[in-house]
Amino acid sequence: MARGGAKRSGAGRGGGRLTWPGGGLDDATAGGRPARPSATVGCGAGPGAPASGGSVSILGSDDATTCHIVVLRHTGNGATCLTHCDGSDTKAEVPLIMSSIKSFSEPAECGRLEVHLVGGFSDDRQLSQKLTHQLLSEFDKQDDDIHLVTLCVTELNDREENENHFPIIYGIAVNIKTAEIYRASFQDRGPEEQLRAARALAGGPMISIYDAKTEQLRIGPCSWTPFPHVDFWLQQDDKQILESLSTSPLAEPPHFVEHIRSTLMFLKKFPSPENILFPGNKALLYKKNKDGLWEKISPGS
């Protein structure tokens, strides 16, 4: 875990700059409903933001092995974005993360942009290292000054056991009210978990699923092509699925294969989801009720 450290900076295009002050994480537990699986963005608003984001106070994600979890926050209005990046299209994803925060901010608003990067480890294929470099490079290219507060990635997030390497931290959560970041894992992954996981496994691009202004979770409508050879994969044993469909088989959490099988079954059941899962080609909308639980509301347009 990186705590403290030397300062480093790099010149970004258009006068922007990524400043590296080092940083660390508090080792604590957290609850909430994460923006998970990967290829999703959760954005909430803290105190003083244009929308209070009052129904959501925690954003989080877990099960990151070679993936990285990114938190971008504006200190002036508290707007906070969390996403789980797998390296599939970092060049497009970083601007999306930036725009989700800047949509809450006026150009001259006091405060600064702070980024936290957590995840990856010293994997044999060096996928973590590649993703770390991609994220740092793309944030450095942005027009805005961005301050790197937490860097807990790849070698800094690595532990070795019996000559095998594993991440120290697989998941984090951020309290958008207080800006605290916690080490975390989640039992509840929020509404439509299988649908969101299927979309991610089928290669869907990163999207924003939470609108802090309306305090609604919006899923879809989306589509995917039938997953190739889905029946073949469902016939394979656990070892084959783990070794073939994971970027880091030895480091995966125990539920990885079960999760993949469940997602493949969902993709087989819904090879073309448009009209079945999204009647009238409308999004599925959820909002928290008075008990703090997600409740489905009438589909939007």
Side-chain angles (χ1 to χ4, degrees), residues 216-219 283-287 295-301:
Q216 292 179 355
L217 197 69
R218 182 186 181 97
I219 302 170
L284 306 179
L285 299 179
Y286 287 82
K287 194 164 187 174
E295 189 174 83
K296 195 171 186 178
I297 59 178
S298 300
S301 57

Side-chain angles (χ1 to χ4, degrees), residues 105-150:
S105 308
E106 297 295 331
E109 189 167 2
C110 294
R112 69 180 194 175
L113 291 170
E114 295 184 344
V115 68
H116 308 262
L117 305 179
V118 180
F121 66 108
S122 297
D123 64 283
D124 292 340
R125 298 166 62 187
Q126 295 190 320
L127 297 174
S128 302
Q129 186 180 65
K130 180 180 178 182
L131 179 54
T132 295
H133 290 167
Q134 287 177 349
L135 285 167
L136 291 174
S137 176
E138 292 305 320
F139 274 111
D140 201 37
K141 291 176 183 177
Q142 303 306 304
D143 292 334
D144 303 85
D145 286 348
I146 305 166
H147 298 262
L148 180 59
V149 177
T150 304

Side-chain angles (χ1 to χ4, degrees), residues 15-253:
R17 184 179 63 182
L18 177 65
T19 303
W20 303 36
L25 287 177
D26 293 324
D27 187 0
T29 58
R33 291 163 175 79
R36 173 79 178 115
S38 60
T40 60
V41 176
C43 188
S52 67
S55 64
V56 171
S57 59
I58 299 290
L59 297 174
S61 187
D62 61 1
D63 289 0
T65 53
T66 57
C67 297
H68 290 14
I69 302 169
V70 179
V71 177
L72 182 67
R73 186 174 188 274
H74 191 282
T75 62
N77 60 24
T80 305
C81 172
L82 181 144
T83 186
H84 190 119
C85 295
D86 61 8
S88 58
D89 195 3
T90 309
K91 188 173 183 178
E93 291 169 357
V94 169
L96 176 59
I97 296 167
M98 292 291 296
S99 64
S100 69
I101 293 298
K102 293 170 70 174
S103 66
F104 287 100
S105 308
E106 297 295 331
E109 189 167 2
C110 294
R112 69 180 194 175
L113 291 170
E114 295 184 344
V115 68
H116 308 262
L117 305 179
V118 180
F121 66 108
S122 297
D123 64 283
D124 292 340
R125 298 166 62 187
Q126 295 190 320
L127 297 174
S128 302
Q129 186 180 65
K130 180 180 178 182
L131 179 54
T132 295
H133 290 167
Q134 287 177 349
L135 285 167
L136 291 174
S137 176
E138 292 305 320
F139 274 111
D140 201 37
K141 291 176 183 177
Q142 303 306 304
D143 292 334
D144 303 85
D145 286 348
I146 305 166
H147 298 262
L148 180 59
V149 177
T150 304
L151 184 67
C152 185
V153 294
T154 312
E155 295 91 343
L156 301 175
N157 191 42
D158 182 79
R159 68 179 180 88
E160 188 173 353
E161 182 179 326
N162 297 326
E163 299 185 353
N164 293 317
H165 291 262
F166 303 88
I168 297 171
I169 295 174
Y170 283 82
I172 62 170
V174 56
N175 185 318
I176 63 174
K177 309 294 185 183
T178 65
E180 292 178 280
I181 296 181
Y182 307 87
R183 184 174 180 172
S185 62
F186 300 90
Q187 296 298 317
D188 183 349
R189 284 170 166 61
E192 308 292 346
E193 178 190 354
Q194 282 195 316
L195 191 160
R196 292 158 50 219
R199 182 187 173 279
L201 188 60
M206 180 183 287
I207 57 171
S208 178
I209 62 170
Y210 180 70
D211 185 343
K213 296 176 181 177
T214 62
E215 299 186 22
Q216 292 179 355
L217 197 69
R218 182 186 181 97
I219 302 170
C222 62
S223 62
W224 52 71
T225 56
F227 193 83
H229 313 298
V230 65
D231 288 324
F232 167 82
W233 288 115
L234 285 170
Q235 293 169 4
Q236 303 310 300
D237 59 24
D238 290 0
K239 183 174 183 290
Q240 185 65 36
I241 288 179
L242 181 63
E243 292 179 351
S244 301
L245 298 182
S246 169
T247 58
S248 51
L250 294 176
E252 293 292 356

